[in-house]
């Protein structure tokens, strides 16, 4: 309110308006929380030119009646988001080694000017112009830049993104932020965390599911770093009180990277930023490359080539469910099949697949997208997640009318997905007649082949994996359902035979793996097929453990069983498997 009174006093002092004329505006400002400057522009009592002249005189700044849009460098439109420029009525008209030249309508908007200083790390040379003049210039500059961008895109298809490794920008903050991105790609990071601490800025990368500190900087640079990232993501750099989400498209070392940006305010008077990196040029995996055992790979190929039914993939966030679904779509994708997906968000674009990003804010939910898909003559539908009864019911309806539906569900194991659907008030007979398979999965880190160290397993480690001679013998007696053995599927029992203890491997660390001991991650799986034995239990509303026991009697390996197999093959460690399957219960058949 004091700032509004200060503006009012300036206008009175310069003879723009008498004090009595301002009192109603003060009341409106208190009631509507609208800045006095905006109220005066709307009222028409004072022209934009009169307001600008008074403010320029008071602040002893140059007043300009017009802005030479032609002299504004075309790339200035890339320096600030258009929404921010219009909100603050501010335009960057020049960028030099020793200064940034700015024209604004309200020089009392110190937040906007401070953000520009922080973003560009240079002194600001300010001029004042009428508000309508500034807005008109903003529109012309941004429209011109859009036209130039479209022409460049049309002429050079791959030139829409500048590789940040080729950037010659000398601004320290810009170089520092660019360095974060380039280093994160080099180290295969999936996320970048920029976090304010008491005396410093800490940057952490998530590599193979593990966070580690990658950089530190003085806390005095935090505001500048945040401003730079916000500008790149098209966010409001003046809004520091509310969470914001944005997106950045980058080209790093010839690779297109899509960056999802999330900011939240913290108690340290600075915002915290997390950025998810999606490699748009990454090769889609084939279903044979995701790490299935032979039984599971064959069954997955059998299920995804079914003409109808629901195939669910379950697991916690970050367990690779979307990657598995993409591998399934990649396997069956061909011109004669119409594939539609509803995702939140679309992580990778697949040629020949028609993908929709859901937007709950405008009413485009998984359920509404799925309902619309049924009018698009689909063969295969992928819905990112079944979150509620409505989505589940539409998915069931789609499968019963001759469509294959792929989706995800948040449960700990495969059998629990059945009970989860029943908890959504889906009738058991509908679950039995539509769900054809449920895949549960986790991710474990893969040992670096250059430095992994062999050692002899201990009895305790084998017991953690559920391996002992008696249990191995009983598992070897298990057989697959005749329905599948008739198709020539070889069953691979999990176990070990031989004198002494098996050889396992542990992580060490070398130059090839950045001293981490691991390079990449792989999946461990539990595939439940809804055969007759499991189906009868579903109809009887049996609990998850009973269903799991029946599935294991038909050849299903639990998550920990599949993990044990990969430990014995020297691909990962006991600790990785145990940590990833803490909630998995080994059920003997």
């Amino acid at each position: 309110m004091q700032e509004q009174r200060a503006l009012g006093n300036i206008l009175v002092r310069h003879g723009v308006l008498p004090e009595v004329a301002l009192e109603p505006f003060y009341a409106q400002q208190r009631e509507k929380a609208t800045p006095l400057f905006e109220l005066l522009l709307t009222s028409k009592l004072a022209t934009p030119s009169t307001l600008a002249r008074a403010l320029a005189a008071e602040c002893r700044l140059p007043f300009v009646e017009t802005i030479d849009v032609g002299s504004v460098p075309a790339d200035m439109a890339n320096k600030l988001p258009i929404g921010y420029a219009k909100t603050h009525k501010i335009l960057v008209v020049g960028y030099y080694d020793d200064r940034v030249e700015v024209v604004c309508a309200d020089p009392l908007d110190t937040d906007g000017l401070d953000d520009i200083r922080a973003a560009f790390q240079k002194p600001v040379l300010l001029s004042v112009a009428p508000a309508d003049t500034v807005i008109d210039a903003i529109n012309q500059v941004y429209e011109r830049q859009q036209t130039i961008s479209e022409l460049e895109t049309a002429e050079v298809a791959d030139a829409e993104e500048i590789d940040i490794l080729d950037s010659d920008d000398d601004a320290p903050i810009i170089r520092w932020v660019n360095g974060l991105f380039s280093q994160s790609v080099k180290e295969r990071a999936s996320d970048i965390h920029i976090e304010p601490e008491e005396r410093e800025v800490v940057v952490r990368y998530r590599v193979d599911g593990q966070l580690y500190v990658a950089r530190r900087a003085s806390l005095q640079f935090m505001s500048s770093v945040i401003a730079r990232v916000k500008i790149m993501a098209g966010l409001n750099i003046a809004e520091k009180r509310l969470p914001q989400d944005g997106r950045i498209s980058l080209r790093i070392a010839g690779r297109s990277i899509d960056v999802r940006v999330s900011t939240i305010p913290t108690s340290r008077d600075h915002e915290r930023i997390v950025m998810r990196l999606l490699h748009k040029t990454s090769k889609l995996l084939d279903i044979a490359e995701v790490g299935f055992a032979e039984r599971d790979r064959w069954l997955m190929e059998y299920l995804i080539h079914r003409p109808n039914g629901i195939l669910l993939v379950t697991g916690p966030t970050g367990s690779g469910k979307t990657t598995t679904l993409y591998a399934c779509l990649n396997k069956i994708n061909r011109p004669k099949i119409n594939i539609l997906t509803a995702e939140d968000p679309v992580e990778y674009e697949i040629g020949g697949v028609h993908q929709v990003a859901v937007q709950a804010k405008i009413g485009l939910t998984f359920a509404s997208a799925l309902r619309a898909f049924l009018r698009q003559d689909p063969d295969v539908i992928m819905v990112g997640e079944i979150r509620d009864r409505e989505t589940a019911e539409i998915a069931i309806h789609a499968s019963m009318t001759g469509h294959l539906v792929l989706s995800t569900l948040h449960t700990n194991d495969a059998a629990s997905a059945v009970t989860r659907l029943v908890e959504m008030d889906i009738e058991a007979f509908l679950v039995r007649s539509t769900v054809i398979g449920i895949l549960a999965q986790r991710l474990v880190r893969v040992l670096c082949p250059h430095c992994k160290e062999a050692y002899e397993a201990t009895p305790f480690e084998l017991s953690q994996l559920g391996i002992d001679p008696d249990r191995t013998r009983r598992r070897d007696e298990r057989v697959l359902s005749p329905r599948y053995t008739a198709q020539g599927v070889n069953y691979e029992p999990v176990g070990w035979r031989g004198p002494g203890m098996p050889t396992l491997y542990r992580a060490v660390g070398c130059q090839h793996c950045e001293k981490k001991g691991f390079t990449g991650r792989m999946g461990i799986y539990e595939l439940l097929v809804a055969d007759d034995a499991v189906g009868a239990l579903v109809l009887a509303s049996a609990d998850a453990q009973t269903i799991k026991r029946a599935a294991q009697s038909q050849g299903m390996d639990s998550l920990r069983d599949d993990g044990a197999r990969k430990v014995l093959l020297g691909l990962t460690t006991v600790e990785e498997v145990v940590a990833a399957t803490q909630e998995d219960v080994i059920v003997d058949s």
Side-chain angles (χ1 to χ4, degrees), residues 300-578:
M300 282 295 291
E301 291 198 19
Y302 166 75
L303 293 172
I304 64 177
H305 283 93
R306 291 275 297 270
N308 61 283
I310 299 176
L311 175 61
L312 297 173
V313 181
T314 77
T317 301
S319 59
K321 299 187 297 296
T322 302
T323 299
T324 299
L325 288 176
Y326 280 162
C328 293
L329 295 181
N330 193 36
K331 183 68 176 180
I332 62 178
N333 185 19
R334 57 181 64 90
K336 69 178 183 179
I337 295 178
N338 183 21
I339 303 176
L340 302 174
T341 76
E343 306 172 54
D344 183 20
V346 174
E347 295 189 10
Y348 302 98
E349 294 184 359
I350 310 174
V353 175
H354 308 284
Q355 299 165 272
V356 173
V358 301
Q359 300 181 61
K361 293 181 179 178
I362 62 172
L364 182 57
T365 63
F366 284 126
S368 61
L370 192 51
R371 191 179 292 108
F373 285 173
L374 295 179
R375 299 189 291 271
Q376 290 284 316
D377 186 31
D379 297 298
V380 178
I381 295 171
M382 186 190 98
V383 56
E385 183 183 349
I386 293 179
R387 295 176 178 173
D388 50 43
R389 178 183 177 182
E390 183 184 11
T391 308
E393 287 179 336
I394 301 172
I396 286 172
H397 173 71
S399 69
M400 294 180 71
T401 53
H403 306 90
L404 178 65
V405 179
L406 283 65
S407 189
T408 70
L409 202 62
H410 282 288
T411 60
N412 292 330
D413 61 7
S416 298
V418 174
T419 56
R420 178 75 183 95
L421 290 173
V422 174
E423 289 170 359
M424 291 181 181
D425 293 330
I426 303 300
E427 296 289 346
F429 77 89
L430 291 175
V431 177
R432 168 68 185 101
S433 61
T434 56
V435 176
I436 58 177
I438 304 169
L439 179 74
Q441 68 179 74
R442 301 288 190 276
L443 293 178
V444 294
R445 291 184 291 173
V446 178
L447 283 164
C448 174
H450 300 281
C451 63
K452 66 180 182 180
E453 181 180 76
Y455 69 98
E456 185 178 276
T458 66
F460 175 70
E461 287 177 316
L462 293 185
S463 68
Q464 283 186 301
L465 296 175
I467 298 175
D468 65 74
D470 290 337
R471 184 165 183 270
T472 299
R473 188 159 47 250
R474 289 199 301 274
R475 289 173 56 79
D476 286 348
E477 294 168 358
R478 267 185 348 193
V479 294
L480 283 172
S481 164
R483 175 182 175 187
Y484 303 123
T485 52
Q487 301 293 332
V489 180
N490 294 320
Y491 172 58
E492 305 172 81
V494 175
W496 168 83
R497 306 181 193 85
M501 289 292 178
T503 298
L504 304 183
Y505 293 84
R506 62 168 63 99
V508 177
C510 65
Q511 61 180 2
H512 297 282
C513 59
E514 304 286 342
K515 302 296 182 181
K516 296 179 179 67
F518 298 91
T519 54
R521 291 188 289 176
M522 69 184 307
I524 57 175
Y525 303 96
E526 171 181 289
L527 178 57
L528 183 153
V529 177
D531 56 15
D532 293 339
V534 170
L537 294 173
V538 173
L539 287 174
S541 298
D543 61 81
Q545 284 305 313
T546 302
I547 294 173
K548 182 170 186 174
R549 189 176 292 109
Q552 285 186 297
S553 71
Q554 298 299 308
M556 183 188 82
D557 286 329
S558 70
L559 288 165
R560 187 161 292 188
D561 288 336
D562 193 40
R565 176 185 291 109
K566 284 156 184 172
V567 170
L568 292 170
L569 290 173
L571 299 175
T572 189
T573 66
V574 174
E575 294 78 13
E576 282 290 306
V577 170
V578 172

Side-chain angles (χ1 to χ4, degrees), residues 182-213:
S182 59
Q183 187 66 21
S184 68
V185 171
K186 177 183 176 183
E187 298 191 21
R188 301 178 295 104
S190 61
D191 300 85
I192 303 173
H193 294 227
I194 304 177
E195 304 162 334
E197 296 294 340
E198 186 175 353
R199 296 181 179 177
E200 61 183 356
V201 180
V202 176
V203 177
R204 296 192 292 172
Y205 291 160
R206 187 178 293 278
V207 179
D208 295 335
Q210 305 290 314
L211 280 171
Y212 77 96
V213 175

Side-chain angles (χ1 to χ4, degrees), residues 22-292:
L22 289 168
E23 289 301 330
F25 293 104
Y26 292 146
Q28 289 184 52
Q29 196 278 325
R30 288 191 298 267
E31 187 176 1
K32 299 181 180 179
T34 304
L36 177 61
F37 188 87
E38 299 292 339
L39 293 174
L40 291 172
L41 287 175
T42 306
S43 71
K44 309 293 186 183
L45 288 181
T47 66
S49 180
T50 303
L51 289 174
R53 288 182 184 277
L55 288 169
E58 179 69 20
C59 299
R60 299 181 180 178
L61 293 172
F63 170 80
V64 292
E65 190 71 55
T66 60
I67 299 174
D68 184 5
V69 175
S71 66
V72 178
D75 64 348
M76 282 299 105
N78 294 326
K79 302 295 184 181
L80 290 176
I82 187 171
Y84 178 84
K86 286 187 173 181
T87 298
H88 292 274
K89 298 177 180 59
I90 193 167
L91 178 65
V92 178
V93 296
Y95 182 82
Y96 306 94
D97 292 340
D98 59 342
R99 70 188 186 282
V100 176
E101 293 185 356
V102 173
V103 176
C104 73
D106 182 10
L108 299 182
D109 182 4
T110 55
D111 287 343
L113 296 172
D114 287 342
D115 285 330
I116 287 183
R117 290 188 185 94
F120 290 90
Q121 290 291 296
K122 295 180 185 296
V124 171
L125 189 63
L126 188 63
S127 299
V128 182
D132 52 355
T133 300
V134 176
I135 294 296
D136 183 62
I138 289 172
N139 289 333
Q140 292 185 54
V141 170
Y142 281 78
E143 182 179 358
R144 181 182 61 175
Q145 177 58 25
Q146 181 179 3
T147 302
I148 291 173
S149 298
E150 290 172 353
L151 288 173
E152 290 175 347
T153 302
E155 293 173 0
V156 186
D158 294 329
E160 72 274 20
E161 295 169 346
I162 298 175
D163 196 317
I164 66 172
L165 297 185
D166 296 333
S167 173
D168 57 359
D169 204 313
D170 292 329
I173 293 298
I174 294 177
R175 287 204 313 272
W176 196 83
V177 173
N178 285 351
L180 291 185
F181 289 122
S182 59
Q183 187 66 21
S184 68
V185 171
K186 177 183 176 183
E187 298 191 21
R188 301 178 295 104
S190 61
D191 300 85
I192 303 173
H193 294 227
I194 304 177
E195 304 162 334
E197 296 294 340
E198 186 175 353
R199 296 181 179 177
E200 61 183 356
V201 180
V202 176
V203 177
R204 296 192 292 172
Y205 291 160
R206 187 178 293 278
V207 179
D208 295 335
Q210 305 290 314
L211 280 171
Y212 77 96
V213 175
R215 291 192 182 190
R216 299 178 186 271
S218 172
L219 189 61
Q220 65 177 313
F221 299 114
M222 188 69 190
S223 296
S224 300
V225 171
I226 291 173
R228 174 58 184 166
V229 173
K230 281 187 169 184
I231 287 172
M232 295 177 73
L235 302 180
N236 184 353
I237 61 178
E239 179 55 75
K240 302 177 175 67
R241 303 162 300 172
L242 298 173
Q244 294 187 70
D245 295 302
R247 181 173 173 175
I248 305 171
S249 292
L250 297 174
R251 182 172 290 275
I252 304 175
R255 302 168 65 181
S256 293
I257 312 293
D258 193 21
V259 184
R260 306 294 166 85
V261 181
S262 172
T263 72
I264 59 171
T266 70
S267 60
R268 299 184 185 276
D269 296 328
H270 287 288
E271 293 167 281
R272 183 181 189 271
I273 296 179
V274 174
M275 294 179 281
R276 167 65 56 88
L277 277 62
L278 301 173
H279 296 252
K280 294 188 286 186
T281 52
S282 294
K283 172 182 174 292
L284 284 174
L285 294 177
D286 186 86
I287 199 168
E289 300 174 310
V290 298
F292 286 126

